[in-house]
Amino acid sequence: MGKARVLYWFRTDLRLHDSPALKAALDLDPEVLWPIFTWDPHYVYRAKGGVNRWQYLLDCQNDLSKSITKLNPKSKLFVLREAPQTVLPKVFKAWKVTHLVFEKDTDSYARERDKIVTELAEKAGVKVISPYGRTLWDSDDVVKKNGGKATMSITQLQSAGKKVGDIPRPIPAPKSLPDPGEMPVDFSQDRPKNKPDLIAPLRVGQEHAYNSIAGPKGDFAIETLEELGFAAATTPHRGGETLALKTLEHIIADEEYAATFQKPKTSPAAFRPQATTLLSPHMHFGSLSVRLFYWRVQDLVNKYKGASTPPESLTGQLLFRDMYFAAQAAIGSPFLQTINNPYVRFVPWHLPSKVEEGTETGTNAISGEYHIDSKEAEQWFQRWKRGTTGFPWIDALMRQLRQEGWIHHLGRHSVACFLTRGGCYIHWERGADVFEELLIDHEPACNAGNWQWLSCTAFFAQYYRCYSPVAFGQKWDKEGKLIREYVPELKKLDAKYIYEPWKAPKAALDKAGVKIEGNGLGEHKEGTYPGPMLDFGERRGVCIAALKTAYHINLHGNDEQVKNGEWRKL
Ligand code: FAD
């Protein structure tokens, strides 16, 4: 028996299978091992994180805890209700920890947090071990092999990955786990006072959940939605390693589906079942190892005649994921925004309106080609967010997102293009914020990267190719099944008008029991659906012209910048 007293810190690796970090912890032959999870107000816990993502996290935690207990009845997932930066130094000392082990995380916030924790551990004489396991390759190695630069295309990722080496094969889950040691918490009174940001977002009436590091009963219990002040979740999608592995096996069992998968051929209108794997939230929380996913598919592809290839194949999707992770690893927190991000084109999108009614401030100063009051743009944003744009395809997707926390990739394309360069001309960061709140698979690198792609500010530049909020949906779903499901006010409308109800004759509307009425902003009046908030054909032209100007200025600078020699060339 070794002498190591190991604190194993679970974060976005809520699994026992294929965990290089957990293996590293067990390789220490520990005398005791505490599997812990700390509350991290910045991360899943930001007040912004919607209830559906919380539910998913709780599913993952509960499932993991049960699996730990199966391996050692004295153990479970111990939840410490305080931020790691403040609770861990106290735990190191009180529990006589010798090693802290966790899976490496290259998200910009995680890096910052882990740097602080590592310094505190070293100060306390605790050795830190942190192998990677969240991506196919270590994103930092990818960046090195890409000349220190962000991976801005799948080809760059693939060629850097090749130089890093083979994608490691998954490793099995452990068969047993050591006992946890004693867990004194008499330092609880040292909790940071008046700093709720270091504890958790306090909700009125729920303070008891936050009173002790070990929870109200002192047993390090996993929190419940009720304790946290949330109402029930609305998503049908559930989390946890057990379910993730079962789903993966189900997908692999359909050899034709898994081996010939071509993303562009999967339908954004399919739901229950959806057309793609819906494994993204499992990978976000680490309840499924990305390398297990990769190798299960690749082994199948190797023996399958006529299999699809990246970037359209299933393994290609995982490469996209690694591409965004490595891009963020290279750029750090500016990757999540436009400011200080050298790879993102500046576009003078409409900013949120704080102006008095009727003031004309939102004119696009650069193109000068059109005039939109930013108040109007703000209303468009609010209607997009609520799913009341008057375009049933967009509204169905936005309501599916709010209700279920997941929408198909091409559905994300549709709504993101519509909000930014293909309709409203609103800043992609505002859309990314809404996705951050509502997605159960919210992944900072993938969210920001894909929004940049869709808004044509980085990764992709064909701004003249816009998704029609009418024709694109019709291509996949003539009958409008997705709309009927998520926009029930239009449930009975004839398929001929379901994508453009404002064009329906009165008789067709009467038959369906719906009136085109309201501005999509106030309270919803039953039996009504708003008219379209903009003329898509017109806006498409306006957006393309504005993007053309913005691209020109990004490349050549505006007159003043040229004069001063200060434009930022991409
Ligand atoms: P599948 O098609 O089955 O793909 C398998 C896996 O590959 C996914 O689970 C996911 O991990 C990965 N993957 C697939 N497509 C992409 C992609 N384009 N970029 C990165 N990884 C990919 N994905 C997230 O995981 N988190 C996000 O926050 C996120 N935000 C997005 C925002 C926008 C505007 C857009 C257009 C896309 C976003 N995506 C995001 C990417 C993609 O839409 C989802 O990963 C995918 O729809 C998840 O469904 P799935 O698991 O069925 O995917």
Side-chain angles (χ1 to χ4, degrees):
M1 181 71 75
K3 288 266 185 328
R5 298 172 63 81
V6 179
L7 201 58
Y8 187 83
W9 183 18
F10 280 102
R11 300 109 57 90
T12 45
D13 57 327
L14 299 173
R15 66 177 182 278
L16 295 180
H17 73 275
D18 189 34
S19 172
L22 187 56
K23 181 175 181 307
L26 295 174
D27 284 349
L28 295 167
D29 191 14
E31 178 191 337
V32 290
L33 180 141
W34 297 273
I36 64 153
F37 189 97
T38 58
W39 274 3
D40 191 332
H42 178 91
Y43 185 48
V44 191
Y45 305 101
R46 274 205 276 180
K48 258 174 141 188
V51 62
N52 289 332
R53 192 154 78 242
W54 268 95
Q55 170 69 71
Y56 210 91
L57 170 68
L58 298 189
D59 284 347
C60 291
Q61 290 182 330
N62 282 306
D63 185 66
L64 175 66
S65 193
K66 267 192 216 149
S67 303
I68 292 173
T69 306
K70 270 190 205 152
L71 296 187
N72 183 334
K74 291 187 193 152
S75 194
K76 66 173 186 174
L77 182 67
F78 299 100
V79 175
L80 308 185
R81 300 179 182 213
E82 192 178 309
Q85 297 92 326
T86 55
V87 76
L88 289 180
K90 294 179 278 192
V91 166
F92 294 150
K93 199 167 151 209
W95 301 0
K96 300 188 177 61
V97 174
T98 61
H99 293 78
L100 172 69
V101 186
F102 54 86
E103 185 180 85
K104 179 175 175 180
D105 188 341
T106 53
D107 278 354
S108 51
Y109 162 72
R111 274 219 218 256
E112 228 172 80
R113 174 198 61 201
D114 294 349
K115 187 168 172 274
I116 294 170
V117 168
T118 301
E119 281 167 9
L120 291 166
E122 280 162 2
K123 221 163 122 194
V126 171
K127 193 166 177 339
V128 174
I129 302 173
S130 174
Y132 96 98
R134 212 177 156 205
T135 39
L136 299 173
W137 295 282
D138 183 336
S139 300
D140 288 332
D141 289 346
V142 169
V143 174
K144 265 187 224 143
K145 298 291 180 196
N146 196 42
K149 293 195 176 134
T151 44
M152 299 304 285
S153 73
I154 205 83
T155 327
Q156 284 177 3
L157 186 270
Q158 279 171 306
S159 88
K162 217 174 189 173
K163 290 183 202 156
V164 174
D166 291 339
I167 294 166
R169 285 266 169 190
I171 50 177
K175 293 207 162 44
S176 64
L177 286 173
D179 288 351
E182 295 288 305
M183 304 174 78
V185 285
D186 40 10
F187 53 79
S188 272
Q189 66 277 13
D190 305 336
R191 305 195 83 189
K193 294 275 177 317
N194 306 322
K195 283 197 175 171
D197 56 320
L198 289 174
I199 304 175
L202 287 172
R203 285 162 213 274
V204 178
Q206 306 300 326
E207 294 82 354
H208 63 281
Y210 307 94
N211 280 346
S212 158
I213 286 160
K217 293 188 186 147
D219 57 355
F220 300 94
I222 292 165
E223 58 288 309
T224 61
L225 282 185
E226 197 189 3
E227 254 185 301
L228 297 164
F230 281 114
T234 54
T235 180
H237 309 307
R238 304 306 299 253
E241 180 182 18
T242 309
L243 184 62
L245 292 173
K246 208 168 132 194
T247 310
L248 177 65
E249 287 320 308
H250 183 72
I251 289 160
I252 300 297
D254 187 346
E255 295 195 353
E256 189 185 344
Y257 173 83
T260 65
F261 182 96
Q262 283 178 284
K263 186 66 159 271
K265 292 193 177 159
T266 60
S267 168
F271 61 98
R272 289 194 281 280
Q274 74 295 333
T276 54
T277 65
L278 223 159
L279 286 172
S280 50
H282 286 298
M283 277 192 296
H284 169 66
F285 286 107
S287 48
L288 180 67
S289 145
V290 64
R291 301 181 320 186
L292 178 70
F293 187 178
Y294 178 88
W295 279 113
R296 292 294 280 126
V297 177
Q298 191 56 45
D299 285 342
L300 179 64
V301 163
N302 289 343
K303 61 174 190 173
Y304 197 95
K305 266 208 182 111
S308 52
T309 51
E312 294 185 345
S313 64
L314 261 186
T315 52
Q317 305 314 300
L318 300 179
L319 295 175
F320 276 119
R321 183 175 178 274
D322 258 49
M323 175 186 83
Y324 291 122
F325 269 82
Q328 184 184 207
I331 302 173
S333 58
F335 180 66
L336 309 177
Q337 61 197 33
T338 306
I339 293 173
N340 293 331
N341 183 343
Y343 294 84
V344 164
R345 294 178 185 89
F346 173 76
V347 174
W349 308 105
H350 287 290
L351 296 169
S353 166
K354 294 259 186 282
V355 294
E356 291 303 309
E357 201 163 324
T359 13
E360 179 84 10
T361 54
T363 310
N364 187 308
I366 288 186
S367 77
E369 287 170 16
Y370 64 97
H371 301 268
I372 292 272
D373 191 317
S374 52
K375 181 165 177 283
E376 187 174 20
E378 180 63 19
Q379 287 177 351
W380 288 348
F381 173 71
Q382 295 302 337
R383 290 182 64 173
W384 174 85
K385 191 173 161 184
R386 294 172 67 164
T388 55
T389 62
F391 290 96
W393 171 247
I394 299 293
D395 293 343
L397 290 163
M398 290 307 292
R399 294 186 199 183
Q400 183 188 17
L401 173 64
R402 181 167 293 277
Q403 207 170 302
E404 306 192 352
W406 183 92
I407 50 174
H408 183 279
H409 184 59
L410 295 177
R412 300 182 199 204
H413 272 224
S414 289
V415 299
C417 179
F418 183 78
L419 182 74
T420 57
R421 67 186 171 85
C424 307
Y425 214 65
I426 286 171
H427 204 309
W428 65 266
E429 288 174 23
R430 300 202 74 199
D433 269 358
V434 173
F435 271 34
E436 175 171 351
E437 179 191 339
L438 300 178
L439 278 176
I440 48 174
D441 66 17
H442 173 249
E443 195 75 84
C446 300
N447 193 38
N450 276 289
W451 272 96
Q452 289 163 19
W453 182 305
L454 262 300
S455 59
C456 282
T457 48
F459 295 102
F460 181 77
Q462 295 176 22
Y463 57 79
Y464 44 87
R465 288 179 55 186
C466 291
Y467 290 88
S468 156
V470 174
F472 185 69
Q474 275 171 334
K475 178 182 147 194
W476 294 101
D477 179 15
K478 277 239 153 1
E479 289 300 311
K481 286 191 188 135
L482 186 93
I483 296 171
R484 290 176 207 281
E485 175 73 15
Y486 295 99
V487 188
E489 2 2 340
L490 301 178
K491 202 176 184 126
K492 295 189 182 140
L493 195 60
D494 193 302
K496 205 164 141 194
Y497 305 111
I498 190 117
Y499 285 87
E500 298 172 288
W502 63 91
K503 288 190 177 167
K506 187 169 178 313
L509 289 170
D510 286 349
K511 198 171 156 208
V514 63
K515 275 195 183 121
I516 303 300
E517 197 181 289
N519 62 8
L521 286 167
E523 230 170 78
H524 176 70
K525 204 166 129 202
E526 223 177 297
T528 66
Y529 180 73
M533 65 183 195
L534 47 81
D535 177 334
F536 173 69
E538 186 188 296
R539 291 295 304 164
R540 186 178 167 277
V542 163
C543 288
I544 291 175
L547 254 280
K548 192 172 170 193
T549 309
Y551 265 50
H552 181 85
I553 288 169
N554 272 271
L555 270 178
H556 307 291
N558 64 23
D559 290 351
E560 191 147 330
Q561 289 167 326
V562 171
K563 203 171 90 196
N564 300 332
E566 41 175 50
W567 80 88
R568 197 167 52 115
K569 204 167 178 178
L570 286 172

